[in-house]
Amino acid sequence: MEKYGIGQPVRRKEDVRFLTGKGVYIDDISRPNLVHAVILRSPHAHAKILKIDSSEAQTMPGVLAIVTGQDWEREDFAPIPTRSAVKTKISGAPLNQPPRHCLAIERARYVGEPVALIVAESSAQAQDAAESIEVDYEELEPVTDQVKALEPGAPQIWDDIEGNICLDFELGDKQATDKAFAAADHVVSLELRNNRVTAVPIETRGAIAEYDAASDSYLLHNATQNVHANRATFADVLKISPDKLHHVAPDVGGGFGAKNSGYPEPPLLLYAAKKLGRPVKWIADRNESFQGDTHGRDQASKVELALDSEGKFLALRTSTIGNLGAYCFTMGPFTPTAGSARTQGGPYDIPAMFYSAIAAFTNTMPLDPYRGAGRPEASFQIERVVELAARELGIDPVELRARNLMRADTLPRKTPMGLDVDTGDFPQLFERTLKMSDREGYAKRVQESRARGLRRGFAIAPYLECSGGMPKEFAGVTFASDGTITLSVGSQSTGMGHETSLPQILGARLGVDMDKIAYVQGDTDATPLGGGHGGSRGLEMGGSAVMTAANDIIAKARHIAAHMLNSTPDDISFANGAFTDVKTDQNIAMEDVIAASFEQGRLPSDMEPGCLDTGVTYERELITCPNGCHAAEVEVDPETGSINVERYWVVDDFGTIINPLLAEGQVMGGIAQGLGQALMENIVYDEESGQLVTGSLMDYALPRADSMPNMQLAFFEDAPTAKNPLGVKGAGEAGCCGAPPAIVNAVLDALKGDGVTHIEMPLTPEKVWRAIAGGKLSP
Amino acid sequence: MYEFQYHRPNSLEDAAKLFDAAGDPQYLAGGQTLIPVMKQRLAMPSDLIDIGRIGDLHGITADKNALTIGAMTTHAQVASCDKVRESIPALASLANHIGDPAVRNRGTLGGSIANNDPAADYPAALVALGASVQTTSREIAAEAFFTGLFETALEEGEMIVKVTFPVTDCAGYEKFPNPASRYATVGVFVARTKERVRVAVTGAGLSVFRAGDIEAALETDFSPDALDGISISADGLNSDLHASAEYRANLIIVLARRAAAKANAA
């Protein structure tokens, strides 16, 4: 295998740039004549906007423009559309989509909702002006919790949407499921929440908008995960043709879903840039990031599992109330509905399943996909109810799981949720994880923990999830006569390393040095379409497009090689970067064929110089199913309730591994965010006032390096998928699916002697301490 | 941030003159609280007087009875100073666990105690160790120095010059960090000097306070077990998103026991 071949741990090409401060993020970009914008945001969760007086602010030094909701309405711009894949209620009627304008018009519906745009020569001047704008609010009663939003008499967020319901949803066979429950020996039921979290990317959002009057077109540099989809969204809002908007994402410092959405700020900036004839920049500060970046999860669910007398799973029934926030954001309605339904039941053989959901509006920042978008929620739901079932039936939780995993010889199959599970070996992964986790030494470790006054617990959590995101992807390859190759792909890295992994695929397939391959992404001019980032699609879609392009290039180069070797294409084989005439054994290197492709005299008559340049669109038919198994050992300090995740093991089946270094990085990052959700991360709104309580890093707890266990990771590569030409299944979100159930169940295992059966995430020290102390404390 | 005038005097006299002449001045020590607050536009001094270049505020001296630390000494300097580590190792250890490396390399002893954040670590050390605060005009006992929530005995324009810690027989500090900010949810400093025991609690109240019942129990028997059966009332303790008053009351006892164990091991 060559140095940069597929499967090699090639170090990230982009890291030198990032680690030496040479990355170019939005705030590193300036423009001549640049002016600065700030957004005035609602301080109230729910309030009528009676009057906005900006007369004093207009006269302040440096102030160039102030735009309010009324001004915006006068311009007759369109509301920001939702792109949710689920668009209808159970009845078939369309979901309730209230108009989401870039500025609040007449009423603010969450803390942080944009109320006015202020542009000035400097950011400080714009802030000064923002502070002197007088907004006359009439406060209304807010509701922030989705369960309470559905109660009779709850505050109505939209006058024309009764009961705060966006849509209802169901999937599966209700009759068969109900029947199985009625006949079951055991029914185990658990109410639980997937807590609300937010991505906290290290780079906050920001953008620079420019307008060129001569061509009547716009240029937008934006910290986004998805230039093409958002170009369409912003063009819709401004009522312009998408080709009038050139949308560029430079280096982006983390996204995790929160930079996928169609946010209100970019259209506001584009509008101001045209109005002022000057480039306009806006950078969110961290407080704005907590208020105005989309949040994730926030589902209240009831999960029920039916079992027979032997502990065999018969049926699963889940009902969820999802919090949408005040509006349908870009994909908001999808997550608690189809996003959470598809992978219900995980890797278990469950003959009957039924999932139902209601998505509710509340006076909170809207929700959108966050790393996993429903699959981590589903994984947590099944693993928690299985753990509880083991406890209630008196069966070892490891044994109960092993008894119910789908067997490899039953694949391919379609789950009752319609998921096509093609390849994998769940029992084998489960066994490997158990073996790695040194079960023999466990009893001794429990004793050692006990000697230090600590409780130790173990849990294993197999998961099955799926990829997602846009089903098409583009890859373009252009060759220059100096030997450089430029690869442009419509998928996008926000830090995951595509600048390494995608050239690695092209270089390996063509047999050329990947260092000669320049990589371009995040630019609507560079690729005719692109699905950006999301749904673990980077390799599955972007990588498959690159592979398809490479195959097209090889097919064309084969003709050139045949011509150069005086042979015919059918007699030419290609391997290790060289074309060989199978009859004469004469061969020629790909690099020589590329060099020849610029000279008409060396080409067949039906080919022209530059003929190797290739652009392909790859389209998926079926989503892939990454799967794996996590296991965790934790120590709990009963005196303080604090938790130390002490040991951690994972075996993942991501199909073919292109670059194990990058794949491991994805798993570790996913575990960090899963651990964060399980133990500390939590967006909290005050129920009475609707204020965001966790509005800064002083109150929103993130995991740090010392929160993380040593992780022992392994890959199972014996079951690549045939759903794409690379055999990859996706890796980006898997860690978030496995970590919360592994960690939470391990803590509950540690506390089984204390009679604790459930604690809601995040498992903060006080909650754990209270659970242990039980009835000994007042509530 | 709002606009302000920046000054960097070289002497206490010049600093005082600048302070008197300004409209709404603030002394700037390490800036680890003041600068973030200014960036959020929650503070708007007209003049910022950077006292980092004033020689009188720097330096650590020790003799067999006392350790004296200049107000502008950073947490990192306290943590790594051999004199501190030898005479009061618990103080060096405390400094080594404030914030993160960036905070420890900029934040100062004087700045921390002048701010008197209810969750700061240093106030517990000063009160438990019976330290005294030397200012530009007087000497103030630690217990009289910390007067309330972000309140101290400092008068307008009065500046901390140095802090003197009497050397103890043994001491230990234990804190339970807030998972987000890593300030002390509760921190307990236990110190024993000539058979007298002083126990100071930070993070749990509006300002640092002494825990009399714990002191009495440890004076009878300076061992963690001496605290068995003692409980602390939750009345008046802080209660927030991360910890209720009841939980903090529990932490005070748990941490006092662990701090006493550390002191015994020291």
Side-chain angles (χ1 to χ4, degrees):
Chain A
M1 181 74 71
E2 63 263 64
K3 186 167 76 164
Y4 293 146
I6 286 173
Q8 293 301 298
V10 179
R11 296 182 77 146
R12 287 160 45 112
K13 286 170 73 175
E14 50 268 72
D15 278 349
V16 172
R17 190 168 86 247
F18 293 157
L19 296 174
T20 55
K22 294 190 178 73
V24 177
Y25 301 89
I26 289 294
D27 211 11
D28 296 316
I29 298 172
S30 191
R31 281 287 184 270
N33 233 6
L34 185 68
V35 295
H36 299 267
V38 305
I39 309 286
L40 180 68
R41 294 176 185 275
S42 170
H44 302 296
H46 199 185
K48 281 186 189 161
I49 301 169
L50 301 177
K51 190 173 171 235
I52 300 180
D53 180 359
S54 58
S55 52
E56 191 196 330
Q58 301 273 10
T59 65
M60 291 176 68
V63 173
L64 299 167
I66 293 174
V67 185
T68 66
Q70 269 189 345
D71 302 329
W72 195 253
E73 198 176 20
R74 259 195 303 275
E75 297 283 350
D76 197 30
F77 291 127
I80 308 172
T82 188
R83 309 259 182 219
S84 168
V86 177
K87 292 190 173 66
T88 54
K89 302 176 192 171
I90 296 171
S91 66
L95 58 76
N96 295 321
Q97 183 182 180
R100 178 162 72 92
H101 286 287
C102 293
L103 291 170
I105 295 169
E106 292 174 358
R107 194 154 142 192
R109 290 179 171 84
Y110 64 92
V111 169
E113 180 164 9
V115 168
L117 171 83
I118 301 97
V119 186
E121 295 285 348
S122 77
S123 181
Q125 286 171 331
Q127 281 182 61
D128 289 344
E131 284 175 8
S132 66
I133 294 176
E134 284 176 30
V135 186
D136 191 2
Y137 291 103
E138 180 191 321
E139 285 189 64
L140 303 169
E141 191 189 343
V143 59
T144 58
D145 180 274
Q146 67 268 42
V147 177
K148 295 207 168 104
L150 296 183
E151 286 171 1
Q156 289 299 289
I157 296 161
W158 295 96
D159 292 339
D160 54 349
I161 298 177
E162 209 186 316
N164 298 319
I165 294 177
C166 173
L167 81 164
D168 55 6
F169 174 89
E170 60 183 32
L171 189 68
D173 188 334
K174 183 171 192 302
Q175 218 179 350
T177 304
D178 290 346
K179 207 174 143 195
F181 269 91
D185 292 296
H186 304 284
V187 172
V188 179
S189 174
L190 178 64
E191 287 189 20
L192 55 77
R193 290 226 176 195
N194 266 279
N195 43 322
R196 177 185 282 236
V197 295
T198 190
V200 201
I202 196 162
E203 180 206 23
T204 57
R205 290 189 299 115
I208 301 175
E210 296 169 72
Y211 175 73
D212 178 50
S215 60
D216 185 30
S217 63
Y218 298 85
L219 171 59
L220 178 67
H221 282 84
N222 187 12
T224 180
Q225 294 175 211
N226 205 322
V227 289
H228 286 86
N230 282 316
R231 174 174 68 167
T233 295
F234 302 150
D236 279 357
V237 171
L238 297 175
K239 299 185 175 174
I240 58 171
S241 168
D243 62 3
K244 290 288 180 188
L245 174 56
H246 179 193
H247 195 188
V248 179
D251 286 328
V252 175
F256 313 105
K259 288 180 183 163
N260 236 330
S261 314
Y263 282 99
E265 293 89 355
L268 290 170
L269 302 179
L270 291 164
Y271 167 74
K274 180 176 181 181
K275 189 176 155 129
L276 297 171
R278 295 175 68 177
V280 184
K281 183 185 218 176
W282 165 76
I283 302 288
D285 67 21
R286 187 59 70 190
N287 298 65
E288 274 186 294
S289 186
F290 277 105
Q291 290 185 0
D293 286 3
T294 53
H295 298 163
R297 315 278 191 253
D298 206 354
Q299 298 186 9
S301 305
K302 183 178 183 188
V303 195
E304 297 167 283
L305 183 65
L307 305 92
D308 72 10
S309 59
E310 303 295 308
K312 186 89 190 79
F313 301 164
L314 302 173
L316 177 70
R317 192 162 55 196
T318 306
S319 63
T320 285
I321 302 174
N323 196 337
L324 280 192
Y327 297 87
C328 297
F329 228 71
T330 302
M331 299 282 285
F334 172 78
T335 307
T337 56
S340 300
R342 292 174 300 176
T343 56
Q344 284 289 315
Y348 299 108
D349 197 338
I350 308 179
M353 286 194 235
F354 183 70
Y355 180 86
S356 61
I358 296 173
F361 293 113
T362 62
N363 291 112
T364 62
M365 176 67 206
L367 287 92
D368 235 4
Y370 166 69
R371 203 169 191 170
R375 290 108 67 196
E377 290 91 322
S379 178
F380 188 69
Q381 288 155 2
I382 182 68
E383 285 305 315
R384 283 293 300 116
V385 80
V386 168
E387 190 76 12
L388 185 64
R391 188 84 66 93
E392 289 190 2
L393 271 60
I395 302 174
D396 177 357
V398 173
E399 168 58 28
L400 182 64
R401 287 183 170 88
R403 243 180 247 179
N404 284 285
L405 288 168
M406 288 184 225
R407 292 202 329 265
D409 59 12
T410 67
L411 304 182
R413 71 196 288 179
K414 201 171 219 179
T415 72
M417 293 284 109
L419 188 68
D420 281 283
V421 184
D422 57 342
T423 59
D425 191 337
F426 313 125
Q428 195 185 145
L429 266 66
F430 191 82
E431 280 307 313
R432 266 185 75 180
T433 310
L434 274 179
K435 203 166 177 188
M436 270 162 68
S437 66
D438 180 32
R439 298 301 296 147
E440 296 74 30
Y442 181 66
K444 189 162 170 252
R445 293 196 291 279
V446 170
Q447 291 303 324
E448 286 165 357
S449 297
R450 196 171 295 159
R452 284 181 283 121
L454 306 173
R455 315 257 207 284
R456 182 176 282 266
F458 169 83
I460 188 163
Y463 72 88
L464 169 69
E465 56 129 354
C466 62
S467 64
M470 200 177 103
K472 283 184 187 178
E473 195 49 273
F474 177 86
V477 183
T478 56
F479 296 85
S481 54
D482 66 359
T484 57
I485 301 169
T486 301
L487 172 64
S488 312
V489 187
S491 61
Q492 190 194 333
S493 169
T494 57
M496 298 83 81
H498 295 182
E499 204 170 320
T500 305
S501 55
L502 296 180
Q504 189 178 349
I505 292 168
L506 183 65
R509 184 71 185 109
L510 296 184
V512 300
D513 183 353
M514 69 175 275
D515 289 337
K516 287 185 183 160
I517 303 172
Y519 178 70
V520 177
Q521 65 161 27
D523 187 331
T524 51
D525 275 5
T527 60
L529 62 91
H533 162 56
S536 299
R537 68 189 295 289
L539 281 184
E540 181 217 359
M541 299 303 300
S544 294
V546 172
M547 193 66 170
T548 307
N551 289 339
D552 278 15
I553 292 163
I554 290 165
K556 286 188 274 188
R558 187 187 306 273
H559 280 268
I560 303 171
H563 180 73
M564 292 168 80
L565 295 172
N566 292 317
S567 177
T568 64
D570 288 347
D571 288 340
I572 301 290
S573 70
F574 178 70
N576 299 323
F579 293 94
T580 305
D581 184 328
V582 293
K583 288 187 174 147
T584 65
D585 236 18
Q586 279 190 298
N587 63 63
I588 185 166
M590 173 61 102
E591 283 173 0
D592 294 329
V593 174
I594 293 170
S597 74
F598 299 101
E599 298 172 40
Q600 184 68 68
R602 300 174 71 189
L603 290 170
S605 58
D606 60 345
M607 298 180 89
E608 288 176 7
C611 58
L612 285 183
D613 289 358
T614 299
V616 300
T617 299
Y618 168 78
E619 189 160 0
R620 83 148 83 85
E621 282 173 22
L622 292 170
I623 54 175
T624 55
C625 298
N627 64 86
C629 190
H630 288 226
E633 254 178 59
V634 303
E635 281 186 329
V636 181
D637 180 342
E639 291 186 334
T640 63
S642 60
I643 294 162
N644 176 27
V645 182
E646 220 254 326
R647 289 168 176 239
Y648 208 96
W649 306 271
V650 188
V651 181
D652 283 307
D653 172 6
F654 298 150
T656 306
I657 299 293
I658 304 296
N659 182 327
L661 268 185
L662 271 61
E664 282 178 3
Q666 287 300 312
V667 177
M668 290 178 188
I671 293 170
Q673 285 184 308
L675 181 146
Q677 186 189 359
L679 300 184
M680 58 189 88
E681 293 189 47
N682 205 27
I683 287 280
V684 178
Y685 283 95
D686 182 80
E687 281 199 19
E688 219 158 277
S689 67
Q691 288 297 318
L692 176 61
V693 180
T694 50
S696 82
L697 288 168
M698 292 294 282
D699 283 314
Y700 187 86
L702 285 176
R704 306 189 191 192
D706 66 358
S707 315
M708 295 300 294
N710 280 319
M711 292 164 276
Q712 200 181 332
L713 312 180
F715 296 115
F716 173 79
E717 291 189 77
D718 297 344
T721 180
K723 289 174 179 174
N724 60 64
L726 283 174
V728 298
K729 298 182 179 179
E733 295 155 300
C736 275
C737 295
I743 292 167
V744 170
N745 282 335
V747 171
L748 293 168
D749 181 55
L751 304 185
K752 61 174 182 272
D754 301 286
V756 180
T757 53
H758 183 65
I759 306 173
E760 291 283 14
M761 293 193 290
L763 274 60
T764 59
E766 176 161 3
K767 277 195 218 165
V768 173
W769 173 75
R770 281 188 180 277
I772 295 170
K776 285 175 275 176
L777 287 164
S778 57
Chain B
M1 231 180 239
Y2 296 104
E3 275 195 12
F4 59 88
Q5 290 291 317
Y6 174 80
H7 311 274
R8 193 164 62 190
N10 291 311
S11 70
L12 290 172
E13 294 72 34
D14 288 352
K17 273 185 211 150
L18 286 164
F19 194 95
D20 291 342
D24 186 13
Q26 274 270 353
Y27 288 125
L28 174 69
Q32 295 306 289
T33 300
L34 182 55
I35 299 292
V37 168
M38 286 173 65
K39 280 171 80 173
Q40 295 200 57
R41 296 193 152 203
L42 298 172
M44 48 183 305
S46 64
D47 293 73
L48 213 51
I49 304 167
D50 183 343
I51 55 174
R53 292 277 174 97
I54 300 173
D56 293 346
L57 304 179
H58 289 272
I60 301 175
T61 58
D63 60 34
K64 66 179 194 311
N65 295 319
L67 176 73
T68 300
I69 302 176
M72 279 303 293
T73 310
T74 64
H75 311 323
Q77 287 167 338
V78 171
S80 61
C81 174
D82 286 342
K83 291 174 207 160
V84 182
R85 291 158 77 140
E86 278 158 26
S87 56
I88 313 176
L91 187 63
S93 168
L94 174 149
N96 200 35
H97 290 92
I98 298 173
D100 54 30
V103 168
R104 292 195 288 275
N105 279 305
R106 288 294 308 169
T108 64
L109 170 61
S112 171
I113 63 172
N115 189 46
N116 194 21
D117 189 304
D121 297 300
Y122 267 132
L126 265 71
V127 169
L129 292 167
S132 63
V133 180
Q134 178 73 54
T135 74
T136 40
S137 56
R138 59 191 164 137
E139 194 166 324
I140 310 170
E143 266 180 279
F145 181 84
F146 301 107
T147 55
L149 184 70
F150 292 106
E151 296 280 338
T152 68
L154 289 171
E155 303 283 346
E156 180 79 3
E158 185 178 8
M159 199 194 302
I160 301 161
V161 177
K162 58 193 174 186
V163 179
T164 298
F165 300 87
V167 169
T168 54
D169 299 343
C170 63
Y173 178 64
E174 189 76 21
K175 81 166 152 183
F176 193 82
N178 174 312
S181 69
R182 302 240 170 154
Y183 271 87
T185 299
V186 175
V188 180
F189 202 106
V190 172
R192 189 178 65 171
T193 313
K194 300 189 184 83
E195 302 309 315
R196 296 303 309 268
V197 174
R198 292 165 67 99
V199 176
V201 179
T202 190
L206 294 179
S207 180
V208 62
F209 62 86
R210 284 176 65 182
D213 290 355
I214 298 175
E215 289 183 354
L218 289 176
E219 261 177 27
T220 309
D221 172 13
F222 195 69
S223 83
D225 295 344
L227 301 181
D228 287 353
I230 291 184
S231 65
I232 294 278
S233 166
D235 291 349
L237 296 186
N238 296 339
S239 188
D240 56 33
L241 178 69
H242 300 284
S244 66
E246 198 176 19
Y247 180 59
R248 279 188 161 91
N250 167 67
L251 285 179
I252 291 171
I253 294 293
V254 171
L255 299 177
R257 210 182 284 136
R258 293 177 186 184
K262 271 189 180 172
N264 270 302

